[in-house]
Amino acid sequence: MSTRTNILIENYETKLWLYRHYDGYLSATGYDLIINLIHNKDITSFVTSLLATNYDACELHSKKSVYEVTSEQHGDIDFLYRFIFDDRKGKVKIIIDEVSPYDSELTKNLITTDFFSVSREEVKKNCHLIFEAKKNSHSYA
């Protein structure tokens, strides 16, 4: 079974929805997103990096994109990741919710940060739950 997720990337009036079908957990998608953020501090390079991320080719399919652009939030997601950029100040706010695919009233907020400057130290401080999830998944790199 897939752990579907949406990523909403915002910058003032602009909103971009991305969808990831597999591995929506904090230890996979969450970690991938914040590592991309550490290395791509502004919205343009962050989005470009995500859209260039691919699953390797395998017996069942050729190389394919991990993140797909979509027009809105899917109805049956397990996680919603929001990155709100303030490029004028070089800051970002992150909100991560675990969403019940059966009852949207059962949404659980996992992380809500204030706006912070994007640096390795600030990301680790504000998103420590993701690093803990990655460490506990026994695949910490």
Side-chain angles (χ1 to χ4, degrees):
M1 184 167 168
S2 301
T3 306
R4 298 160 306 280
T5 190
N6 270 124
I7 300 95
L8 176 58
I9 302 169
E10 301 178 61
N11 191 22
Y12 309 108
E13 313 304 309
T14 303
K15 293 183 180 186
L16 174 67
W17 285 97
L18 299 177
Y19 174 74
R20 180 173 171 165
H21 193 72
Y22 301 104
D23 301 323
Y25 298 105
L26 293 178
S27 61
T29 298
Y31 188 76
D32 184 49
L33 292 169
I34 63 168
I35 293 304
N36 272 284
L37 180 65
I38 289 171
H39 296 287
N40 301 281
K41 295 171 177 32
D42 65 85
I43 191 169
T44 302
S45 60
F46 180 66
V47 169
T48 300
S49 176
L50 293 178
L51 293 177
T53 306
N54 291 303
Y55 290 114
D56 291 332
C58 68
E59 181 181 346
L60 300 175
H61 61 76
S62 61
K63 181 172 76 169
K64 65 180 186 176
S65 296
V66 171
Y67 300 99
E68 305 169 29
V69 175
T70 187
S71 59
E72 61 188 359
Q73 181 175 329
H74 283 228
D76 63 347
I77 60 169
D78 298 286
F79 292 90
L80 174 60
Y81 295 83
R82 289 181 59 199
F83 288 78
I84 305 164
F85 284 84
D86 184 342
D87 274 349
R88 289 181 215 144
K89 295 181 180 175
K91 296 189 175 199
V92 67
K93 177 178 185 170
I94 300 172
I95 302 167
I96 303 171
D97 293 323
E98 185 172 10
V99 180
S100 169
Y102 309 107
D103 185 352
S104 62
E105 297 295 318
L106 298 177
T107 296
K108 177 182 176 186
N109 179 258
L110 302 175
I111 294 175
T112 297
T113 71
D114 291 326
F115 279 95
F116 63 91
S117 297
V118 180
S119 69
R120 182 178 177 272
E121 295 75 24
E122 287 294 310
V123 171
K124 285 193 88 162
K125 181 176 93 177
N126 283 283
C127 300
H128 60 88
L129 188 64
I130 292 173
F131 287 95
E132 289 172 23
K134 182 66 172 175
K135 184 178 180 180
N136 292 334
S137 73
H138 304 294
S139 60
Y140 195 76

